[in-house]
């Protein structure tokens, strides 16, 4: 999922960050992927508050939540805190 | 352009004092150090310079060597010139931060007074402390006497801080034999050293916003140093360190030569220091102060018509493999002297490196290893004569009976 990675001749030395963390996708660490059952979701937004990676996005215009899979590491907290069991963790 | 040799003053300095004097003249911004015998005098002398206002240096008193190097690393990351000194258990306590320093490409310069590691506790010379750190990504230079100590510390700032290199550098001097022995040391005038070391040049790097900024911690131009670096990039950063090491060989030679133009003093080509090797059939290889005694032995043997020579390795990291191969191309029997041992290994660390380097040599010389001088055990001329006598036997029989030996130890 990450774009073509730079070789050692192109990278700045010493592990210096050459791009912001918002462009460094950590989603490829994931083993389990959260899947939302929109019918069960009550839009309580507990998952939105509890996600440690800010990877649960609230779209007010559509009145629904979405997962940002570029940054979701698959920790499963959202599925655990969901009172309506609307989130399932699925093996990728 | 040939430069004129500078007028130099002769001072009576021990190795430790020579280090402190070289650091005093090198315009160092931050020194953080913790005392350990036999390095203590370096820190004592330097803190006197600070107290007397003879240097413009921030001296940080720390509670351990781990903190000393951490403070130097952090200071160095802001782009200033830093120095520390240690040895033995102190260097061992720095172990973790040695890797952090080289990984962050912080050009800290450190003097190591080589002392044996405990237990049993011992304050005298062997090379066990710095040999275990040979893989830590630091440039390692071993010196023969106080004069070379002074010269090498000054050169070390130029080598470490070179924008093409940026590798921390340690200069090793033997405990007591060099550190506490008063010698006549020729020192340069302050302004000449100041000019030679110059101001630390900071290369430009692209930061996370895509802006070209100086490679240093600066609130005006923020960069992130030492972040989490996993399987996707860590290897590339380590590969860069190896690349810098390979380039450092040429740089060490060049800076050594430039310094030689000013002082008239040279130690071989800066990487290796051969002695009477041109037509030698047998040769010993060693590091540090032992070379002084060994040269006398070589002279005695030469007077008797024995074609003996000596090779002192000055740079151990980067290891001067090409130079070693070239200079030993006509030598038929070689004794590698190790002042430390790798327990359970097939010989000492210098033996590993030299024998491995010469594996591809067309002449296939016979090579024998002597582990000697642990814990400061004396290495007199008589024992070095024994080594050369064995080399003569190997030359005749074309056979090494026992490749790894211990010399100077009671049975």
């Amino acid at each position: 999922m990450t774009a073509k990675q730079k070789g050692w001749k192109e990278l700045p030395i010493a592990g210096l960050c050459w791009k912001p963390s918002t462009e460094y996708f950590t989603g490829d660490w994931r083993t389990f992927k959260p899947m939302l059952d929109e019918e069960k979701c009550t839009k309580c937004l507990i998952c939105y508050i509890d996600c440690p990676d800010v990877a649960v996005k609230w779209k007010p215009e559509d009145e629904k939540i979405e997962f940002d899979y570029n940054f979701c590491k698959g920790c499963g907290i959202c599925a655990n805190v969901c009172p309506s069991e609307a989130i399932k963790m699925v093996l990728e | 352009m040939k430069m004129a040799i500078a007028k130099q003053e002769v001072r009576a300095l021990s190795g430790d004092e020579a280090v402190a004097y070289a650091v005093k003249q090198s315009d160092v911004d931050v020194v953080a150090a913790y005392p350990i015998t036999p390095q203590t005098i370096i820190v004592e002398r330097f803190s006197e310079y600070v107290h007397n206002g003879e240097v413009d240096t921030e001296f940080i008193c720390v509670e351990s060597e781990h903190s000393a190097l951490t403070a130097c690393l952090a200071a160095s990351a802001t782009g200033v010139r830093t120095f520390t000194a240690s040895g033995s258990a102190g260097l061992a306590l720095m172990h973790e931060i040695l890797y952090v320093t080289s990984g962050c490409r912080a050009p800290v310069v450190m003097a190591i007074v080589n002392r044996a590691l405990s237990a049993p506790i011992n304050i005298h010379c062997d090379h066990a402390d710095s040999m275990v750190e040979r893989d830590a990504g630091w440039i390692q230079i071993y010196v023969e006497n106080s004069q070379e100590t002074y010269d090498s510390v000054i050169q070390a700032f130029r080598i470490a801080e070179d924008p093409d290199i940026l590798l921390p550098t340690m200069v090793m001097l033997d405990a007591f034999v060099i550190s506490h022995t008063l010698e006549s040391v020729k020192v340069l005038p302050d302004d000449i050293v100041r000019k030679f070391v110059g101001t630390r040049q900071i290369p430009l790097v692209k930061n996370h916003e895509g802006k070209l900024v100086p490679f240093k911690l600066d609130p005006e131009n923020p960069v992130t140093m030492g972040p989490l670096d996993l399987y996707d990039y860590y290897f590339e950063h380590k590969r860069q360190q190896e690349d810098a090491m390979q380039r450092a060989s040429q740089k060490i030679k060049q800076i050594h030569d430039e310094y030689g133009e000013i002082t008239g003093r040279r130690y071989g080509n800066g990487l290796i220091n051969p002695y009477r090797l041109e037509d030698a059939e047998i040769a010993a290889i060693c590091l540090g102060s032992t070379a002084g005694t060994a040269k006398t032995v070589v002279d005695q043997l030469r007077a008797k018509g024995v074609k003996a020579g000596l090779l002192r390795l000055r740079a151990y990291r980067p290891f001067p493999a090409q130079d070693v191969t070239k200079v030993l191309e006509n030598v038929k029997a070689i004794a590698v002297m190790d002042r430390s041992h790798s327990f359970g290994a097939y010989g000492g660390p210098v033996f590993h490196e030299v024998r491995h380097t010469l594996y591809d040599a067309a002449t296939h010389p016979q090579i024998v290893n002597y582990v000697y001088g642990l814990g400061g055990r004396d290495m007199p001329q008589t024992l070095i004569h024994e080594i050369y006598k064995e080399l003569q036997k190997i030359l005749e029989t074309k056979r090494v009976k026992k490749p790894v030996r211990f010399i100077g130890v009671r049975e």
Side-chain angles (χ1 to χ4, degrees), chain B residues 30-33 60 62 65-78 80-85 94 97 101 106-110 138 200:
Chain B
V30 175
V31 171
I60 309 173
V62 285
E65 286 86 355
H66 190 281
S67 303
L69 188 55
T70 305
C72 285
L73 158 64
S76 183
T78 69
V80 302
R81 180 167 293 153
T82 55
F83 173 83
T84 187
M94 286 178 174
I97 312 303
T101 307
V108 176
V109 170
M110 170 153 63
W138 286 57
R200 187 175 153 192

PDB file of all heavy atoms in Angstrom, chain B residues 30-33 60 62 65-78 80-85 94 97 101 106-110 138 200:
ATOM      1  N   VAL B  30      30.974  21.786  23.442  1.00  0.00           N
ATOM      2  CA  VAL B  30      30.415  21.061  24.584  1.00  0.00           C
ATOM      3  C   VAL B  30      31.286  19.844  24.925  1.00  0.00           C
ATOM      4  O   VAL B  30      31.652  19.069  24.043  1.00  0.00           O
ATOM      5  CB  VAL B  30      28.958  20.587  24.294  1.00  0.00           C
ATOM      6  CG1 VAL B  30      28.432  19.719  25.436  1.00  0.00           C
ATOM      7  CG2 VAL B  30      28.035  21.787  24.086  1.00  0.00           C
ATOM      8  N   VAL B  31      31.621  19.729  26.199  1.00  0.00           N
ATOM      9  CA  VAL B  31      32.301  18.534  26.701  1.00  0.00           C
ATOM     10  C   VAL B  31      31.455  17.991  27.849  1.00  0.00           C
ATOM     11  O   VAL B  31      31.102  18.736  28.766  1.00  0.00           O
ATOM     12  CB  VAL B  31      33.738  18.839  27.193  1.00  0.00           C
ATOM     13  CG1 VAL B  31      34.339  17.626  27.918  1.00  0.00           C
ATOM     14  CG2 VAL B  31      34.638  19.246  26.036  1.00  0.00           C
ATOM     15  N   ALA B  32      31.076  16.723  27.776  1.00  0.00           N
ATOM     16  CA  ALA B  32      30.406  16.068  28.895  1.00  0.00           C
ATOM     17  C   ALA B  32      31.195  14.794  29.141  1.00  0.00           C
ATOM     18  O   ALA B  32      31.392  14.006  28.225  1.00  0.00           O
ATOM     19  CB  ALA B  32      28.962  15.733  28.553  1.00  0.00           C
ATOM     20  N   ALA B  33      31.701  14.631  30.345  1.00  0.00           N
ATOM     21  CA  ALA B  33      32.531  13.451  30.600  1.00  0.00           C
ATOM     22  C   ALA B  33      32.431  13.032  32.046  1.00  0.00           C
ATOM     23  O   ALA B  33      32.077  13.831  32.919  1.00  0.00           O
ATOM     24  CB  ALA B  33      33.985  13.745  30.235  1.00  0.00           C
ATOM     25  N   ILE B  60      29.668  19.876  30.911  1.00  0.00           N
ATOM     26  CA  ILE B  60      28.520  19.304  31.608  1.00  0.00           C
ATOM     27  C   ILE B  60      28.994  18.177  32.524  1.00  0.00           C
ATOM     28  O   ILE B  60      29.569  17.194  32.063  1.00  0.00           O
ATOM     29  CB  ILE B  60      27.466  18.751  30.609  1.00  0.00           C
ATOM     30  CG1 ILE B  60      27.107  19.808  29.554  1.00  0.00           C
ATOM     31  CG2 ILE B  60      26.209  18.294  31.341  1.00  0.00           C
ATOM     32  CD1 ILE B  60      26.219  19.287  28.438  1.00  0.00           C
ATOM     33  N   VAL B  62      28.167  15.099  34.523  1.00  0.00           N
ATOM     34  CA  VAL B  62      27.092  14.099  34.445  1.00  0.00           C
ATOM     35  C   VAL B  62      27.315  13.016  35.493  1.00  0.00           C
ATOM     36  O   VAL B  62      28.369  12.967  36.121  1.00  0.00           O
ATOM     37  CB  VAL B  62      27.032  13.473  33.033  1.00  0.00           C
ATOM     38  CG1 VAL B  62      26.413  14.425  32.048  1.00  0.00           C
ATOM     39  CG2 VAL B  62      28.420  13.036  32.594  1.00  0.00           C
ATOM     40  N   GLU B  65      28.735   7.535  32.458  1.00  0.00           N
ATOM     41  CA  GLU B  65      29.210   7.592  31.068  1.00  0.00           C
ATOM     42  C   GLU B  65      28.038   7.504  30.087  1.00  0.00           C
ATOM     43  O   GLU B  65      28.078   8.084  29.010  1.00  0.00           O
ATOM     44  CB  GLU B  65      30.195   6.450  30.796  1.00  0.00           C
ATOM     45  CG  GLU B  65      31.557   6.649  31.423  1.00  0.00           C
ATOM     46  CD  GLU B  65      31.633   6.172  32.858  1.00  0.00           C
ATOM     47  OE1 GLU B  65      30.593   5.765  33.426  1.00  0.00           O
ATOM     48  OE2 GLU B  65      32.743   6.191  33.422  1.00  0.00           O
ATOM     49  N   HIS B  66      27.009   6.751  30.469  1.00  0.00           N
ATOM     50  CA  HIS B  66      25.814   6.646  29.626  1.00  0.00           C
ATOM     51  C   HIS B  66      25.251   8.047  29.392  1.00  0.00           C
ATOM     52  O   HIS B  66      24.914   8.430  28.266  1.00  0.00           O
ATOM     53  CB  HIS B  66      24.798   5.743  30.345  1.00  0.00           C
ATOM     54  CG  HIS B  66      23.612   5.343  29.511  1.00  0.00           C
ATOM     55  ND1 HIS B  66      22.545   6.175  29.292  1.00  0.00           N
ATOM     56  CD2 HIS B  66      23.333   4.188  28.858  1.00  0.00           C
ATOM     57  CE1 HIS B  66      21.659   5.542  28.536  1.00  0.00           C
ATOM     58  NE2 HIS B  66      22.114   4.346  28.257  1.00  0.00           N
ATOM     59  N   SER B  67      25.209   8.849  30.466  1.00  0.00           N
ATOM     60  CA  SER B  67      24.714  10.222  30.357  1.00  0.00           C
ATOM     61  C   SER B  67      25.714  11.122  29.637  1.00  0.00           C
ATOM     62  O   SER B  67      25.313  12.037  28.914  1.00  0.00           O
ATOM     63  CB  SER B  67      24.446  10.789  31.745  1.00  0.00           C
ATOM     64  OG  SER B  67      23.536   9.975  32.429  1.00  0.00           O
ATOM     65  N   ALA B  68      27.000  10.865  29.852  1.00  0.00           N
ATOM     66  CA  ALA B  68      28.028  11.706  29.206  1.00  0.00           C
ATOM     67  C   ALA B  68      27.871  11.649  27.693  1.00  0.00           C
ATOM     68  O   ALA B  68      27.815  12.681  27.017  1.00  0.00           O
ATOM     69  CB  ALA B  68      29.423  11.236  29.609  1.00  0.00           C
ATOM     70  N   LEU B  69      27.767  10.430  27.167  1.00  0.00           N
ATOM     71  CA  LEU B  69      27.654  10.311  25.710  1.00  0.00           C
ATOM     72  C   LEU B  69      26.282  10.793  25.224  1.00  0.00           C
ATOM     73  O   LEU B  69      26.181  11.380  24.144  1.00  0.00           O
ATOM     74  CB  LEU B  69      27.939   8.877  25.252  1.00  0.00           C
ATOM     75  CG  LEU B  69      28.034   8.701  23.739  1.00  0.00           C
ATOM     76  CD1 LEU B  69      29.059   9.643  23.125  1.00  0.00           C
ATOM     77  CD2 LEU B  69      28.359   7.272  23.361  1.00  0.00           C
ATOM     78  N   THR B  70      25.252  10.566  26.031  1.00  0.00           N
ATOM     79  CA  THR B  70      23.913  11.041  25.643  1.00  0.00           C
ATOM     80  C   THR B  70      23.903  12.567  25.538  1.00  0.00           C
ATOM     81  O   THR B  70      23.352  13.125  24.585  1.00  0.00           O
ATOM     82  CB  THR B  70      22.860  10.557  26.657  1.00  0.00           C
ATOM     83  OG1 THR B  70      22.945   9.135  26.764  1.00  0.00           O
ATOM     84  CG2 THR B  70      21.462  10.945  26.230  1.00  0.00           C
ATOM     85  N   ALA B  71      24.548  13.225  26.502  1.00  0.00           N
ATOM     86  CA  ALA B  71      24.621  14.691  26.467  1.00  0.00           C
ATOM     87  C   ALA B  71      25.398  15.162  25.240  1.00  0.00           C
ATOM     88  O   ALA B  71      24.999  16.114  24.563  1.00  0.00           O
ATOM     89  CB  ALA B  71      25.274  15.207  27.747  1.00  0.00           C
ATOM     90  N   CYS B  72      26.496  14.467  24.938  1.00  0.00           N
ATOM     91  CA  CYS B  72      27.298  14.838  23.760  1.00  0.00           C
ATOM     92  C   CYS B  72      26.510  14.627  22.472  1.00  0.00           C
ATOM     93  O   CYS B  72      26.554  15.451  21.561  1.00  0.00           O
ATOM     94  CB  CYS B  72      28.589  14.028  23.710  1.00  0.00           C
ATOM     95  SG  CYS B  72      29.796  14.576  24.902  1.00  0.00           S
ATOM     96  N   LEU B  73      25.796  13.515  22.404  1.00  0.00           N
ATOM     97  CA  LEU B  73      24.981  13.213  21.225  1.00  0.00           C
ATOM     98  C   LEU B  73      23.934  14.313  21.014  1.00  0.00           C
ATOM     99  O   LEU B  73      23.783  14.831  19.902  1.00  0.00           O
ATOM    100  CB  LEU B  73      24.311  11.849  21.404  1.00  0.00           C
ATOM    101  CG  LEU B  73      23.055  11.539  20.585  1.00  0.00           C
ATOM    102  CD1 LEU B  73      23.379  11.511  19.101  1.00  0.00           C
ATOM    103  CD2 LEU B  73      22.448  10.212  20.999  1.00  0.00           C
ATOM    104  N   ALA B  74      23.253  14.674  22.094  1.00  0.00           N
ATOM    105  CA  ALA B  74      22.197  15.688  21.989  1.00  0.00           C
ATOM    106  C   ALA B  74      22.786  17.036  21.590  1.00  0.00           C
ATOM    107  O   ALA B  74      22.238  17.739  20.732  1.00  0.00           O
ATOM    108  CB  ALA B  74      21.459  15.799  23.318  1.00  0.00           C
ATOM    109  N   ALA B  75      23.929  17.381  22.186  1.00  0.00           N
ATOM    110  CA  ALA B  75      24.571  18.659  21.844  1.00  0.00           C
ATOM    111  C   ALA B  75      25.019  18.641  20.390  1.00  0.00           C
ATOM    112  O   ALA B  75      24.811  19.610  19.639  1.00  0.00           O
ATOM    113  CB  ALA B  75      25.760  18.905  22.771  1.00  0.00           C
ATOM    114  N   SER B  76      25.620  17.512  19.984  1.00  0.00           N
ATOM    115  CA  SER B  76      26.112  17.384  18.614  1.00  0.00           C
ATOM    116  C   SER B  76      24.973  17.509  17.602  1.00  0.00           C
ATOM    117  O   SER B  76      25.149  18.073  16.516  1.00  0.00           O
ATOM    118  CB  SER B  76      26.815  16.034  18.457  1.00  0.00           C
ATOM    119  OG  SER B  76      27.360  15.913  17.174  1.00  0.00           O
ATOM    120  N   ALA B  77      23.785  17.019  17.984  1.00  0.00           N
ATOM    121  CA  ALA B  77      22.627  17.090  17.085  1.00  0.00           C
ATOM    122  C   ALA B  77      22.197  18.535  16.827  1.00  0.00           C
ATOM    123  O   ALA B  77      21.533  18.816  15.835  1.00  0.00           O
ATOM    124  CB  ALA B  77      21.469  16.288  17.673  1.00  0.00           C
ATOM    125  N   THR B  78      22.585  19.462  17.708  1.00  0.00           N
ATOM    126  CA  THR B  78      22.252  20.875  17.466  1.00  0.00           C
ATOM    127  C   THR B  78      23.290  21.547  16.575  1.00  0.00           C
ATOM    128  O   THR B  78      23.212  22.745  16.325  1.00  0.00           O
ATOM    129  CB  THR B  78      22.128  21.667  18.788  1.00  0.00           C
ATOM    130  OG1 THR B  78      23.427  21.770  19.385  1.00  0.00           O
ATOM    131  CG2 THR B  78      21.170  21.015  19.759  1.00  0.00           C
ATOM    132  N   VAL B  80      26.772  21.591  17.057  1.00  0.00           N
ATOM    133  CA  VAL B  80      28.005  22.093  17.670  1.00  0.00           C
ATOM    134  C   VAL B  80      29.071  20.995  17.746  1.00  0.00           C
ATOM    135  O   VAL B  80      28.804  19.825  17.503  1.00  0.00           O
ATOM    136  CB  VAL B  80      27.750  22.692  19.080  1.00  0.00           C
ATOM    137  CG1 VAL B  80      26.729  23.810  19.001  1.00  0.00           C
ATOM    138  CG2 VAL B  80      27.307  21.619  20.075  1.00  0.00           C
ATOM    139  N   ARG B  81      30.293  21.419  18.111  1.00  0.00           N
ATOM    140  CA  ARG B  81      31.422  20.480  18.225  1.00  0.00           C
ATOM    141  C   ARG B  81      31.447  19.904  19.646  1.00  0.00           C
ATOM    142  O   ARG B  81      31.383  20.662  20.618  1.00  0.00           O
ATOM    143  CB  ARG B  81      32.723  21.210  17.916  1.00  0.00           C
ATOM    144  CG  ARG B  81      33.961  20.326  18.017  1.00  0.00           C
ATOM    145  CD  ARG B  81      35.156  21.013  17.399  1.00  0.00           C
ATOM    146  NE  ARG B  81      34.966  21.156  15.960  1.00  0.00           N
ATOM    147  CZ  ARG B  81      35.533  22.120  15.220  1.00  0.00           C
ATOM    148  NH1 ARG B  81      36.291  23.024  15.791  1.00  0.00           N
ATOM    149  NH2 ARG B  81      35.317  22.176  13.929  1.00  0.00           N
ATOM    150  N   THR B  82      31.530  18.581  19.750  1.00  0.00           N
ATOM    151  CA  THR B  82      31.476  17.947  21.069  1.00  0.00           C
ATOM    152  C   THR B  82      32.596  16.938  21.252  1.00  0.00           C
ATOM    153  O   THR B  82      33.089  16.347  20.294  1.00  0.00           O
ATOM    154  CB  THR B  82      30.142  17.201  21.283  1.00  0.00           C
ATOM    155  OG1 THR B  82      29.967  16.290  20.212  1.00  0.00           O
ATOM    156  CG2 THR B  82      28.974  18.140  21.345  1.00  0.00           C
ATOM    157  N   PHE B  83      32.955  16.748  22.522  1.00  0.00           N
ATOM    158  CA  PHE B  83      34.032  15.811  22.867  1.00  0.00           C
ATOM    159  C   PHE B  83      33.720  15.122  24.182  1.00  0.00           C
ATOM    160  O   PHE B  83      33.131  15.718  25.093  1.00  0.00           O
ATOM    161  CB  PHE B  83      35.361  16.567  22.984  1.00  0.00           C
ATOM    162  CG  PHE B  83      36.479  15.703  23.493  1.00  0.00           C
ATOM    163  CD1 PHE B  83      37.193  14.877  22.634  1.00  0.00           C
ATOM    164  CD2 PHE B  83      36.813  15.690  24.850  1.00  0.00           C
ATOM    165  CE1 PHE B  83      38.208  14.052  23.110  1.00  0.00           C
ATOM    166  CE2 PHE B  83      37.830  14.870  25.327  1.00  0.00           C
ATOM    167  CZ  PHE B  83      38.527  14.056  24.454  1.00  0.00           C
ATOM    168  N   THR B  84      34.112  13.851  24.288  1.00  0.00           N
ATOM    169  CA  THR B  84      34.074  13.161  25.569  1.00  0.00           C
ATOM    170  C   THR B  84      35.243  12.175  25.608  1.00  0.00           C
ATOM    171  O   THR B  84      35.953  11.993  24.618  1.00  0.00           O
ATOM    172  CB  THR B  84      32.721  12.468  25.823  1.00  0.00           C
ATOM    173  OG1 THR B  84      32.709  11.945  27.163  1.00  0.00           O
ATOM    174  CG2 THR B  84      32.467  11.328  24.851  1.00  0.00           C
ATOM    175  N   ALA B  85      35.452  11.572  26.772  1.00  0.00           N
ATOM    176  CA  ALA B  85      36.549  10.613  26.920  1.00  0.00           C
ATOM    177  C   ALA B  85      36.124   9.547  27.905  1.00  0.00           C
ATOM    178  O   ALA B  85      35.374   9.815  28.840  1.00  0.00           O
ATOM    179  CB  ALA B  85      37.805  11.324  27.419  1.00  0.00           C
ATOM    180  N   MET B  94      28.647   3.042  27.942  1.00  0.00           N
ATOM    181  CA  MET B  94      28.201   3.870  26.813  1.00  0.00           C
ATOM    182  C   MET B  94      27.672   3.034  25.655  1.00  0.00           C
ATOM    183  O   MET B  94      27.123   3.584  24.695  1.00  0.00           O
ATOM    184  CB  MET B  94      29.380   4.697  26.269  1.00  0.00           C
ATOM    185  CG  MET B  94      29.806   5.851  27.115  1.00  0.00           C
ATOM    186  SD  MET B  94      31.232   6.628  26.324  1.00  0.00           S
ATOM    187  CE  MET B  94      31.455   8.057  27.391  1.00  0.00           C
ATOM    188  N   ILE B  97      24.556   3.873  23.695  1.00  0.00           N
ATOM    189  CA  ILE B  97      24.535   5.204  23.075  1.00  0.00           C
ATOM    190  C   ILE B  97      25.583   5.332  21.957  1.00  0.00           C
ATOM    191  O   ILE B  97      25.475   6.208  21.098  1.00  0.00           O
ATOM    192  CB  ILE B  97      24.704   6.305  24.149  1.00  0.00           C
ATOM    193  CG1 ILE B  97      23.759   6.057  25.326  1.00  0.00           C
ATOM    194  CG2 ILE B  97      24.415   7.696  23.580  1.00  0.00           C
ATOM    195  CD1 ILE B  97      22.274   5.968  24.970  1.00  0.00           C
ATOM    196  N   THR B 101      24.571   7.214  18.647  1.00  0.00           N
ATOM    197  CA  THR B 101      25.366   8.336  18.142  1.00  0.00           C
ATOM    198  C   THR B 101      25.730   8.131  16.675  1.00  0.00           C
ATOM    199  O   THR B 101      25.549   9.038  15.851  1.00  0.00           O
ATOM    200  CB  THR B 101      26.644   8.495  18.994  1.00  0.00           C
ATOM    201  OG1 THR B 101      26.272   8.569  20.365  1.00  0.00           O
ATOM    202  CG2 THR B 101      27.409   9.753  18.619  1.00  0.00           C
ATOM    203  N   ALA B 106      25.936  11.685  14.427  1.00  0.00           N
ATOM    204  CA  ALA B 106      26.426  12.783  15.252  1.00  0.00           C
ATOM    205  C   ALA B 106      27.943  12.662  15.391  1.00  0.00           C
ATOM    206  O   ALA B 106      28.426  11.685  15.960  1.00  0.00           O
ATOM    207  CB  ALA B 106      25.763  12.749  16.620  1.00  0.00           C
ATOM    208  N   PRO B 107      28.698  13.639  14.869  1.00  0.00           N
ATOM    209  CA  PRO B 107      30.156  13.498  14.810  1.00  0.00           C
ATOM    210  C   PRO B 107      30.859  13.805  16.139  1.00  0.00           C
ATOM    211  O   PRO B 107      31.725  14.683  16.219  1.00  0.00           O
ATOM    212  CB  PRO B 107      30.550  14.489  13.716  1.00  0.00           C
ATOM    213  CG  PRO B 107      29.501  15.540  13.766  1.00  0.00           C
ATOM    214  CD  PRO B 107      28.225  14.866  14.197  1.00  0.00           C
ATOM    215  N   VAL B 108      30.502  13.072  17.169  1.00  0.00           N
ATOM    216  CA  VAL B 108      31.142  13.243  18.481  1.00  0.00           C
ATOM    217  C   VAL B 108      32.562  12.683  18.390  1.00  0.00           C
ATOM    218  O   VAL B 108      32.780  11.653  17.758  1.00  0.00           O
ATOM    219  CB  VAL B 108      30.344  12.481  19.568  1.00  0.00           C
ATOM    220  CG1 VAL B 108      31.038  12.560  20.920  1.00  0.00           C
ATOM    221  CG2 VAL B 108      28.915  13.010  19.661  1.00  0.00           C
ATOM    222  N   VAL B 109      33.515  13.362  19.011  1.00  0.00           N
ATOM    223  CA  VAL B 109      34.875  12.830  19.085  1.00  0.00           C
ATOM    224  C   VAL B 109      35.119  12.360  20.517  1.00  0.00           C
ATOM    225  O   VAL B 109      34.734  13.032  21.474  1.00  0.00           O
ATOM    226  CB  VAL B 109      35.925  13.884  18.655  1.00  0.00           C
ATOM    227  CG1 VAL B 109      37.347  13.415  18.972  1.00  0.00           C
ATOM    228  CG2 VAL B 109      35.785  14.178  17.164  1.00  0.00           C
ATOM    229  N   MET B 110      35.725  11.182  20.652  1.00  0.00           N
ATOM    230  CA  MET B 110      35.959  10.618  21.981  1.00  0.00           C
ATOM    231  C   MET B 110      37.373  10.061  22.060  1.00  0.00           C
ATOM    232  O   MET B 110      37.844   9.405  21.135  1.00  0.00           O
ATOM    233  CB  MET B 110      34.930   9.510  22.237  1.00  0.00           C
ATOM    234  CG  MET B 110      35.217   8.683  23.470  1.00  0.00           C
ATOM    235  SD  MET B 110      33.746   7.966  24.203  1.00  0.00           S
ATOM    236  CE  MET B 110      33.143   6.897  22.932  1.00  0.00           C
ATOM    237  N   TRP B 138      31.564   3.552  14.767  1.00  0.00           N
ATOM    238  CA  TRP B 138      32.500   4.656  15.024  1.00  0.00           C
ATOM    239  C   TRP B 138      33.793   4.413  14.256  1.00  0.00           C
ATOM    240  O   TRP B 138      34.244   3.271  14.140  1.00  0.00           O
ATOM    241  CB  TRP B 138      32.847   4.737  16.521  1.00  0.00           C
ATOM    242  CG  TRP B 138      31.761   5.292  17.383  1.00  0.00           C
ATOM    243  CD1 TRP B 138      30.486   4.813  17.501  1.00  0.00           C
ATOM    244  CD2 TRP B 138      31.851   6.421  18.255  1.00  0.00           C
ATOM    245  NE1 TRP B 138      29.786   5.581  18.397  1.00  0.00           N
ATOM    246  CE2 TRP B 138      30.598   6.577  18.884  1.00  0.00           C
ATOM    247  CE3 TRP B 138      32.885   7.312  18.586  1.00  0.00           C
ATOM    248  CZ2 TRP B 138      30.331   7.582  19.804  1.00  0.00           C
ATOM    249  CZ3 TRP B 138      32.623   8.322  19.511  1.00  0.00           C
ATOM    250  CH2 TRP B 138      31.361   8.467  20.098  1.00  0.00           C
ATOM    251  N   ARG B 200      32.451  23.828  12.396  1.00  0.00           N
ATOM    252  CA  ARG B 200      31.730  22.652  11.897  1.00  0.00           C
ATOM    253  C   ARG B 200      30.789  23.041  10.764  1.00  0.00           C
ATOM    254  O   ARG B 200      29.953  23.931  10.908  1.00  0.00           O
ATOM    255  CB  ARG B 200      30.942  21.995  13.039  1.00  0.00           C
ATOM    256  CG  ARG B 200      30.319  20.695  12.599  1.00  0.00           C
ATOM    257  CD  ARG B 200      29.631  19.977  13.733  1.00  0.00           C
ATOM    258  NE  ARG B 200      28.573  19.159  13.191  1.00  0.00           N
ATOM    259  CZ  ARG B 200      27.637  18.572  13.906  1.00  0.00           C
ATOM    260  NH1 ARG B 200      27.619  18.720  15.216  1.00  0.00           N
ATOM    261  NH2 ARG B 200      26.708  17.840  13.322  1.00  0.00           N
TER     262      ARG B 200
END
